[in-house]
Amino acid sequence: MSHASTLFVLDSISGGKRLSAETISIKEARRLALARAGLMKPEWTGFPSSAGKRPRAACYDVIRRFGYLQLDTVPIAGARSHGLVLLSRLPGLDPALPETLLRPRAPLFEYWGHEASWLPMELYPVFEFRRREMRKESLWWGPVLQENRRRANAIKKRIGDEGPLRSADFEDKSGRSEWGFSLTRRILRCLWWAGDIAVRERKNFQPLYDLTERVIPDSARQNKVAERDAFKTLVLKALDGHGWAGMATLADTWRLAKRRKLLEACLGELKEEGAVTMCSLGRHTGWIRPEDLELAARLAKARPRRDTGVLLSPFDPLLWDRKRVQMLFDFEQMLEIYKPVKERKYGYYCMPLLVGDELVGRCDLKADKAAGLLHVLSVHHEGDGRRDAAHKSLTRYADTLALKLDFGSASL
């Protein structure tokens, strides 16, 4: 590794023994993150240059890279977050297509990965450990299934008898359900977490629940993966999407912060197998795959385009770890959806602007499809601003949505 020097670090995973580790620069780590995230030229990302003639397959390839595509309900910018993530990586993609990716026989399933996400079907056996945990106690509500077993069985029976149902299908005409809609919704959610039912597809973004055996192929349901092997798979998948990552990022990718001891043990085993190596970024110790260490060295000499850019979802896989974004991009990623209007600094749904290998601004957008307009509520520049690139990015995004840009009182 010609770019890396060797240093000694205290390795908590091996009981404080002094081990050699590689080093990587901020520039290398930033560009590696962009390449693995699919946000550099195709020769660096391995992704196609456009959605092409097989757009669904291209979308599935993007999802496989990260191992998940986080779902979000907010469509204010013209597409929901899962659509924005794919649109930012696959020029020419029909903005309506991402909403239809989960359907019968698609190579995806819906589950709690990073958050509620669509995941590649090959990861279904890997999450048996989580389904097992959820059968005992749900994510937020405690032992819902144990305390409401009769009701849970009745819900499952109705789905089995009638076919796929929405949560709203358990309401009567007055909007009430037999046990109260809140409890019914919780039971449905817990049955999904436990793997007793699955999301067959979404219509108008509403999940349709069906029996798991009618959604998940036998090959995925019958494949048994030991918990330790599952964690090792998830570590490698997280690094596949991140490039370089510290322990906190690896844990948070799959919401495994409470399982850190096992995660550390698995990293130690992967290191012994040569699948990962320790890598220091300044004073931060992290992990990287050997092949990505080589890629990072080559990327240091790359020349990213700086005449145009791309708008990113605020929930983009590149952005959800705000401390990592600050470290790699010197950019304060903010999510202000839940703030009162008067407390917002940038806006309700600000999309960061990536130009080359820098985050140089953010745009608060609101789509009005009935009027055919994409309202630019505000544009905030950082660094040198790159206003021409911002205008090109906004124009391209508006064209993708078949909307006309409306700056109103905002300006570049």
Side-chain angles (χ1 to χ4, degrees):
M1 317 292 179
S2 59
H3 75 295
S5 61
T6 301
L7 74 160
F8 290 98
V9 296
L10 285 176
D11 182 11
S12 62
I13 294 174
S14 57
K17 295 179 181 178
R18 295 176 73 81
L19 298 173
S20 63
E22 303 293 344
T23 63
I24 190 172
S25 70
I26 292 287
K27 177 181 177 181
E28 289 170 324
R30 179 174 65 249
R31 290 185 172 183
L32 177 61
L34 290 169
R36 298 313 301 165
L39 292 167
M40 292 190 76
K41 295 178 181 178
E43 57 262 38
W44 299 115
T45 66
F47 287 163
S49 58
S50 69
K53 296 180 180 179
R54 300 177 65 243
R56 285 184 181 274
C59 290
Y60 297 147
D61 286 344
V62 172
I63 297 172
R64 287 191 183 96
R65 171 65 60 84
F66 299 111
Y68 65 92
L69 181 63
Q70 180 181 341
L71 303 176
D72 187 69
T73 61
V74 181
I76 191 169
R80 295 183 175 91
S81 178
H82 44 286
L84 296 174
V85 170
L86 296 170
L87 290 169
S88 64
R89 288 153 173 87
L90 298 171
L93 183 67
D94 180 348
L97 189 144
E99 295 295 325
T100 69
L101 288 176
L102 184 70
R103 59 181 186 175
R105 292 177 295 281
L108 299 177
F109 71 103
E110 185 169 323
Y111 196 58
W112 197 265
H114 173 68
E115 299 282 343
S117 306
W118 289 338
L119 301 100
M121 188 62 74
E122 55 263 31
L123 289 184
Y124 186 84
V126 171
F127 280 93
E128 177 56 30
F129 77 92
R130 178 157 292 162
R131 293 190 290 272
R132 186 170 56 248
E133 291 174 348
M134 294 296 188
R135 289 178 196 124
K136 297 178 182 178
E137 187 164 320
S138 73
L139 200 59
W140 292 295
W141 304 313
V144 172
L145 296 181
Q146 288 83 348
E147 294 174 356
N148 298 278
R149 179 51 59 190
R150 182 183 65 83
R151 297 173 179 178
N153 289 339
I155 287 173
K156 280 186 64 178
K157 185 178 186 306
R158 184 175 168 192
I159 291 173
D161 292 342
E162 299 181 25
L165 295 173
R166 304 166 301 157
S167 57
D169 292 325
F170 290 88
E171 300 175 358
D172 61 23
K173 292 182 180 179
S174 67
R176 296 189 298 268
S177 68
E178 181 181 354
W179 310 300
F181 180 59
S182 179
L183 177 57
T184 301
R185 184 170 51 186
R186 288 186 180 190
I187 292 173
L188 279 166
R189 198 72 168 174
C190 291
L191 286 169
W192 171 66
W193 281 330
D196 292 334
I197 59 176
V199 177
R200 184 177 184 84
E201 60 185 318
R202 282 179 175 262
K203 293 188 176 180
N204 298 321
F205 203 63
Q206 295 299 308
L208 278 171
Y209 294 105
D210 201 352
L211 298 181
T212 301
E213 57 266 32
R214 298 200 295 225
V215 176
I216 307 298
D218 291 346
S219 57
R221 288 188 295 109
Q222 295 169 4
N223 186 8
K224 305 300 180 184
V225 177
E227 185 175 72
R228 205 174 195 88
D229 291 335
F231 273 54
K232 290 165 74 172
T233 296
L234 292 177
V235 165
L236 291 175
K237 181 50 65 177
L239 286 174
D240 195 17
H242 293 306
W244 177 92
M247 176 61 77
T249 301
L250 292 177
D252 285 347
T253 300
W254 305 110
R255 302 309 190 200
L256 296 173
K258 294 182 180 179
R259 305 297 302 277
R260 184 164 179 142
K261 186 175 180 179
L262 178 55
L263 204 59
E264 290 177 344
C266 290
L267 277 164
E269 291 179 12
L270 289 168
K271 183 178 184 299
E272 291 298 317
E273 296 167 8
V276 303
T277 187
M278 295 182 69
C279 182
S280 176
L281 180 63
R283 59 187 179 84
H284 301 279
T285 299
W287 296 88
I288 195 170
R289 302 180 306 169
E291 60 267 34
D292 283 339
L293 199 57
E294 296 285 2
L295 176 59
R298 298 197 302 274
L299 286 168
K301 302 173 184 177
R303 292 180 177 272
R305 288 187 62 181
R306 301 185 185 280
D307 61 333
T308 188
V310 63
L311 292 163
L312 302 178
S313 162
F315 299 99
D316 194 279
L318 183 73
L319 300 175
W320 58 255
D321 188 336
R322 299 177 197 177
K323 290 183 179 179
R324 186 168 182 268
V325 172
Q326 184 73 57
M327 179 171 56
L328 296 184
F329 294 91
D330 192 24
F331 184 88
E332 185 183 12
Q333 168 59 2
M334 298 182 70
L335 184 64
E336 301 186 287
I337 289 176
Y338 308 108
K339 290 183 179 180
V341 174
K342 293 182 180 179
E343 296 180 15
R344 293 176 192 150
K345 183 176 180 180
Y346 298 112
Y348 176 76
Y349 200 85
C350 272
M351 298 176 65
L353 173 63
L354 175 71
V355 176
D357 62 350
E358 299 176 288
L359 292 169
V360 301
R362 48 197 111 207
C363 304
D364 189 22
L365 306 177
K366 182 177 181 179
D368 184 348
K369 295 183 179 180
L373 297 174
L374 179 64
H375 300 291
V376 182
L377 305 181
S378 66
V379 179
H380 296 270
H381 297 284
E382 301 193 16
D384 62 11
R386 304 194 187 280
R387 284 168 169 75
D388 289 345
H391 190 270
K392 289 179 181 178
S393 302
L394 284 164
T395 300
R396 186 170 61 247
Y397 179 64
D399 289 346
T400 296
L401 299 177
L403 300 176
K404 182 179 178 181
L405 275 177
D406 172 35
F407 281 92
S409 61
S411 66
L412 288 173

